[in-house]
Amino acid sequence: MQGSKLVAGLAVATALLLPSAAQAKTTLVEVEETSHAVLHKLEALGLDVTYEGDERTELMLHGPEDEQILAGTGYAYKVLIEDMDGANDAYLDKEEVHQARAERGIAPLSTLPTGRVAYRTLTDVNAELQQLATTYPDRVKLFTLSKPTLLGKTIYGVEVSHDVATAGAKPSFLLSGAHHAREWPTVEFTLEFIWDLLLNDKAGDDASALLEKGKLIAVPVVNPDGYDLSRSLQNEQKRKNCRITAGVIPTLADCTLAANVNRGIDLNRNYLPFWGGPGSSSSATASNTRGEAPASEPEIQGMIDLLNKSNVTVAINNHTPDQRLLRAPSSSNEPDVVADEVAYEALLQRLSKNLPGWAAGPWTDVYYEASSTAEQQAYYAYGAFGFTPEATPGFSGTQTFHPPYQNVIDNYLGTGTRYANQTMRGLYYDAFAAATEADKHSVLTGTAPAGTTLTLSKSTLLDSSSLVWTTGQPAEVRAFPNTIAQSITVPASGKFEWHVNPSGRPSQYNATHLDEAYDLVCSAPDGTVLERTTLKIKRGEVANRSLCTTGTVGGTVPATLSLTLGAPATFGAFVPGLAAEYDASTKADVISTAGSATLSVSDPDTANTGKLVNGAFALAQPLRAAASSPAAGAGSALTPVTTNTPLLTWTAPVSNDPATVAFKQAIGAGDPLRTGTYSKTLTFTLSTTNP
């Protein structure tokens, strides 16, 4: 049901102020060849094929490099428009005047959720996203991607859900626009769908049910630098970002220089899986330039970071204008039959009912080849189902990628003669619904203490295509790391339901799933890890876990220091007139519950301390003692016995540790000895200062 209209009170932005620079022209040409083989060759050469028909093929030539490449093919062509710059100014100006009148309440609104009648500028988009977050704080959360653009622009997005601040466990539907700068309708569709959900969020409506069960993640402009240049008509047919030289941050002047008009990176050839493969080019001026390495561009680094922390289960990556609905595989080096073929194809057919008459299938079946695309990232990195609609078809020349705005209105709603029943709105509603359906992803349920944090993480490797990385070296596949880390906070109820993608990703090489597991960590609010385990879960499965659940059992230990001495130590007979060392020992069994304990010996005799005595007679030399045990090891060296002589120390509790106490007595050759028995009663003490 269509919601009420909303006119955003935003002024039409002025043209982007740029350094003065000569602008290179873009020329539209027609090639008479139309065979599939020729189209693939033109694409492989990096030429900007903009229209494929039964009788002709149109190309945009962005400078002399493209002209030389096309001439080298030998295909005959004719020039349709020598210089496309300014060809759309008249209808665009008219639309913007109409939009300004609509905002003042003078002109009638359109039937879009917002009533718009003209394309948004980048300034409009960013202001509108902030307006949404301010107007609907409980349902819209504004965020920025982790990386700004090459020219330093912030890339904004929004999350939309009921109780959006606590919606992290819900399954997410990702909707993105303007990977390619000149494809303006993709921005409009994304923003209109956000408003559509919010304006129709009423009890009993589909929008309300979707926002209750799931979360929309929307990034209307993935390529702000390129979109700003295209939308402000500084380089209207720009497709790529502003990268001029690998590894070098450009300036705005660099990006608008005539010599650089067709340089940049195709952001939809810069994701990780299969990077460098068919349908991407290393040429700096090709329309499908892939970049110097996987995720070399900050815009794509930001999108991957977003995906790694978000449980996106279905993704739609909007494009124009080729009247198709595409899914993986998108290149010939992928499996012809993917691991989730049945489920993936069934969802494609379900979604395609919103676009009757449009070709629907894998890129490789119904389109040209492309490598390191958004679909490949979604599917091979996360097991999420990714799709590309090629919308607002039927136009050529200067209007190919952004036709007059009425076509945005009609294609969004499925109205008018050209797009009757071909509804992007219906596509998005169905895709969002599919994202929330548990049989298309996985679910982790269970209990954990309220306020604890649950984290699912997994570090994996994604393979490039096989290509030559170093001149003169053989082609090889290289693996690139990707780390998923997603967290939720357990609610006050202590119960959670977390919608995630399967733990085993689809193989990049055959119709199987990899045997992978998530690391599952439960942490206290202060970050203390309470439990660490693993989770293996398949698509359609529900796993139930009780996490961080503690119970107590125990008993008490009384303070104990126990010392039991063995038989008395005896030296035997001392021989008068002979210098000798005599040895004796005894055992002492030790039990201690203290943190540390010390065994010591003392002689309480104040007259002959530390000496053996025989009545009134005492030995000339002192008695020496030492001790050792298995738990405490060796104590100090033999030491004369005094009124308090430490022998051995335990640094932890022990039970029944058998200590040996050794004695040594020296007798000199001239030492007098009295007939009888020499002895001494000593006191042994087990003590602690750390009970």
Side-chain angles (χ1 to χ4, degrees):
M1 184 178 75
Q2 183 66 30
S4 58
K5 309 299 185 296
L6 175 75
V7 180
L10 304 173
V12 176
T14 58
L16 180 67
L17 297 176
L18 299 176
S20 86
Q23 296 296 308
K25 67 182 181 181
T26 296
T27 300
L28 184 70
V29 301
E30 176 186 312
V31 176
E32 295 179 1
E33 301 282 350
T34 60
S35 73
H36 202 59
V38 170
L39 295 177
H40 270 289
K41 180 176 181 179
L42 295 172
E43 289 284 348
L45 290 170
L47 292 172
D48 192 0
V49 179
T50 60
Y51 179 81
E52 303 170 13
D54 294 334
E55 298 179 352
R56 72 183 193 281
T57 300
E58 290 184 5
L59 287 80
M60 290 185 187
L61 304 180
H62 305 277
E65 297 100 333
D66 284 358
E67 294 176 12
Q68 293 173 7
I69 292 170
L70 180 57
T73 66
Y75 299 137
Y77 69 92
K78 64 181 179 180
V79 175
L80 299 178
I81 302 176
E82 181 67 31
D83 187 352
M84 298 175 68
D85 184 45
N88 290 328
D89 288 0
Y91 90 76
L92 291 171
D93 288 345
K94 182 178 179 181
E95 289 176 352
E96 290 180 2
V97 169
H98 190 188
Q99 177 67 27
R101 289 170 59 83
E103 290 173 359
R104 295 197 303 271
I106 300 172
L109 303 176
S110 76
T111 49
L112 286 177
T114 62
R116 282 198 70 92
V117 292
Y119 288 105
R120 294 162 169 92
T121 65
L122 182 63
T123 300
D124 293 336
V125 172
N126 292 342
E128 197 165 331
L129 292 175
Q130 294 176 58
Q131 176 194 357
L132 282 161
T134 301
T135 305
Y136 302 99
D138 58 332
R139 286 178 284 172
V140 179
K141 181 169 72 174
L142 182 72
F143 67 85
T144 62
L145 294 193
S146 61
K147 306 287 184 182
T149 69
L150 289 168
L151 298 185
K153 292 183 175 67
T154 299
I155 305 176
Y156 290 100
V158 289
E159 296 179 359
V160 187
S161 182
H162 288 169
D163 301 316
V164 67
T166 59
K170 295 180 181 181
S172 297
F173 168 45
L174 175 65
L175 192 63
S176 66
H179 274 73
H180 294 152
R182 63 195 176 189
E183 297 172 11
W184 304 351
T186 66
V187 179
E188 303 300 312
F189 292 150
T190 303
L191 275 160
E192 292 300 325
F193 185 62
I194 298 170
W195 284 109
D196 202 321
L197 289 171
L198 294 167
L199 294 174
N200 287 291
D201 185 11
K202 306 176 185 68
D205 281 4
D206 290 344
S208 184
L210 291 174
L211 294 177
E212 183 65 24
K213 293 187 294 183
K215 178 173 65 176
L216 169 69
I217 301 176
V219 183
V221 183
V222 176
N223 181 5
D225 290 346
Y227 181 74
D228 208 8
L229 289 172
S230 176
R231 179 64 187 89
S232 63
L233 308 183
Q234 298 298 314
N235 182 357
E236 186 180 348
Q237 300 302 330
K238 185 172 182 61
R239 169 184 169 97
K240 301 178 289 183
N241 76 349
C242 275
R243 181 78 75 182
I244 308 302
T245 304
V248 177
I249 301 298
T251 65
L252 182 57
D254 294 332
C255 197
T256 57
L257 192 66
N260 296 331
V261 69
N262 197 31
R263 293 180 182 270
I265 306 304
D266 181 345
L267 297 182
N268 205 33
R269 303 295 185 275
N270 193 237
Y271 286 95
L272 296 176
F274 299 105
W275 183 85
S280 69
S281 175
S282 60
S283 168
T285 58
S287 66
N288 55 1
T289 307
R290 62 187 177 232
E292 63 176 316
S296 61
E297 303 312 295
E299 300 90 345
I300 297 307
Q301 293 170 24
M303 287 297 292
I304 292 175
D305 287 344
L306 174 65
L307 286 162
N308 282 341
K309 69 179 184 181
S310 307
N311 44 338
V312 171
T313 57
V314 174
I316 285 187
N317 167 38
N318 286 297
H319 285 266
T320 66
D322 290 325
Q323 196 167 351
R324 289 171 171 84
L325 181 61
L326 307 170
R327 69 162 179 92
S330 64
S331 62
S332 57
N333 53 2
E334 293 174 66
D336 290 334
V337 176
V338 298
D340 299 283
E341 181 68 31
V342 173
Y344 206 167
E345 180 63 20
L347 182 53
L348 174 78
Q349 294 305 320
R350 169 181 164 185
L351 298 180
S352 70
K353 292 178 181 178
N354 294 286
L355 303 169
W358 293 26
W363 289 58
T364 48
D365 289 351
V366 300
Y367 208 31
Y368 52 72
E369 288 191 77
S371 295
S372 51
T373 61
E375 279 79 14
Q376 290 175 325
Q377 181 74 28
Y379 187 59
Y380 295 104
Y382 316 105
F385 294 128
F387 300 91
T388 287
E390 289 274 348
T392 58
F395 292 84
S396 62
T398 61
Q399 298 179 358
T400 299
F401 297 98
H402 44 266
Y405 198 81
Q406 183 61 46
N407 297 278
V408 172
I409 300 168
D410 289 343
N411 200 185
Y412 181 78
L413 298 171
T415 56
T417 302
R418 187 185 297 272
Y419 304 123
N421 300 315
Q422 298 172 1
T423 165
M424 302 302 289
R425 178 181 190 266
L427 172 69
Y428 302 152
Y429 267 95
D430 270 1
F432 195 176
T436 69
E437 294 164 3
D439 64 336
K440 295 177 179 58
H441 52 271
S442 309
V443 184
L444 174 62
T445 65
T447 59
T452 53
T453 297
L454 305 182
T455 301
L456 278 177
S457 62
K458 184 174 62 168
S459 293
T460 61
L461 295 173
L462 294 167
D463 286 353
S464 72
S465 294
S466 179
L467 71 158
V468 175
W469 298 83
T470 304
T471 302
Q473 298 298 313
E476 61 176 320
V477 171
R478 291 188 178 179
F480 292 85
N482 189 61
T483 299
I484 300 167
Q486 301 171 9
S487 297
I488 63 169
T489 300
V490 178
S493 66
K495 298 179 180 180
F496 63 86
E497 181 177 290
W498 193 359
H499 294 254
V500 298
N501 282 307
S503 59
R505 295 175 298 123
S507 168
Q508 291 184 236
Y509 299 100
N510 52 53
T512 63
H513 293 92
L514 302 177
D515 184 19
E516 295 178 344
Y518 288 115
D519 291 322
L520 175 57
V521 174
C522 181
S523 305
D526 64 0
T528 302
V529 174
L530 303 176
E531 182 179 355
R532 188 184 300 273
T533 185
T534 59
L535 173 68
K536 285 188 176 181
I537 189 168
K538 296 179 180 179
R539 193 180 306 279
E541 283 189 345
V542 177
N544 188 276
R545 295 284 184 91
S546 177
L547 301 169
C548 293
T549 302
T550 59
T552 59
V553 61
T556 59
V557 177
T560 303
L561 287 175
S562 173
L563 177 64
T564 304
L565 293 175
T570 179
F571 289 108
F574 297 142
V575 180
L578 178 66
E581 292 270 9
Y582 296 88
D583 294 302
S585 66
T586 187
K587 295 293 185 180
D589 192 70
V590 175
I591 299 175
S592 170
T593 61
S596 61
T598 299
L599 175 65
S600 59
V601 63
S602 62
D603 182 2
D605 183 357
T606 58
N608 292 293
T609 304
K611 293 182 178 182
L612 297 181
V613 297
N614 178 3
F617 300 93
L619 291 180
Q621 298 187 52
L623 176 68
R624 292 171 290 158
S628 64
S629 81
S636 58
L638 285 162
T639 305
V641 176
T642 64
T643 56
N644 185 20
T645 303
L647 297 177
L648 195 60
T649 297
W650 289 263
T651 59
V654 293
S655 291
N656 297 316
D657 189 26
T660 299
V661 181
F663 297 99
K664 191 173 283 289
Q665 180 64 59
I667 303 292
D671 291 349
L673 297 178
R674 176 73 173 91
T675 302
T677 300
Y678 282 86
S679 66
K680 179 60 70 78
T681 298
L682 302 174
T683 301
F684 290 85
T685 302
L686 185 64
S687 62
T688 182
T689 58
N690 182 22

